[in-house]
């Protein structure tokens, strides 16, 4: 297991996650409290359908940043996502979480995150080493 992922899963050790670098275009480490907030928002807003390391109602999110939409193995995507040219980045994730249908018409996700701050925090978490780093047993799409 990644050291950062291990720290994020252990209560009381979040401060050590300051070593985590985000892929959101920031020039420095993502503050630990923002990673924790992002993880909490991800779990409460996205966790009903998604998981980091398992396909559920929605596809898994391990190594999401840089992946082309509709490309997780063993997941039944809508034809719209399968034929999409979208590559997941902070910018495309923000557009997707803001209004999935506007980004990829015909997709099946009927959920959006209205708050720009909540989207930013979720994207920081999904961009972090805790989610982007390959860990033992993780599925690498």
């Amino acid at each position: 297991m990644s050291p950062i992922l291990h720290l994020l899963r252990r209560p009381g050790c979040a401060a050590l996650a300051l070593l985590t670098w985000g892929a959101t275009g920031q020039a420095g480490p993502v503050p630990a409290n923002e990673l924790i907030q992002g993880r909490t928002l991800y779990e409460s807003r996205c966790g009903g359908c998604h998981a980091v390391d398992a396909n559920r109602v929605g596809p898994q999110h391990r190594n999401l940043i840089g992946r082309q939409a509709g490309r997780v193995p063993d997941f039944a995507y809508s034809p719209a996502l399968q034929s999409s040219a979208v590559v997941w980045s902070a910018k495309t994730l923000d557009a997707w979480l803001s209004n999935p249908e506007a980004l990829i018409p015909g997709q099946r996700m009927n959920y959006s995150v209205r708050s720009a701050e909540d989207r930013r925090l979720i994207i920081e978490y999904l961009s972090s080493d805790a989610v982007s780093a390959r860990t033992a047993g993780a599925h690498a799409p």
Side-chain angles (χ1 to χ4, degrees), residues 43-121:
E43 290 171 353
S44 67
R45 298 278 187 92
C46 311
C49 296
H50 296 276
V52 171
D53 286 318
N55 291 331
R56 299 173 81 194
V57 173
Q60 59 104 354
H61 286 148
R62 174 72 60 200
N63 298 311
L64 179 64
I65 301 300
R67 182 170 75 208
Q68 187 171 349
R71 297 297 188 269
V72 170
D74 301 322
F75 187 81
Y77 285 98
S78 66
L81 269 163
Q82 287 177 338
S83 63
S84 169
V86 169
V87 174
W88 297 121
S89 66
K91 183 178 179 179
T92 57
L93 278 173
D94 186 59
W96 173 259
L97 291 173
S98 178
N99 186 344
E101 187 64 18
L103 182 65
I104 304 174
Q107 55 72 47
R108 294 185 192 138
M109 189 168 103
N110 295 315
Y111 183 79
S112 62
V113 178
R114 291 173 150 284
S115 164
E117 178 65 5
D118 287 357
R119 289 193 309 270
R120 183 185 70 78
L121 291 167

Side-chain angles (χ1 to χ4, degrees), residues 8-68:
L8 285 173
R9 289 185 175 168
R10 290 185 59 210
C13 291
L16 294 176
L18 280 170
L19 300 174
T20 301
W21 288 81
T24 59
Q26 291 189 352
V30 176
N33 65 318
E34 289 189 5
L35 286 177
I36 298 301
Q37 288 174 312
R39 186 184 94 195
T40 300
L41 284 166
Y42 175 81
E43 290 171 353
S44 67
R45 298 278 187 92
C46 311
C49 296
H50 296 276
V52 171
D53 286 318
N55 291 331
R56 299 173 81 194
V57 173
Q60 59 104 354
H61 286 148
R62 174 72 60 200
N63 298 311
L64 179 64
I65 301 300
R67 182 170 75 208
Q68 187 171 349

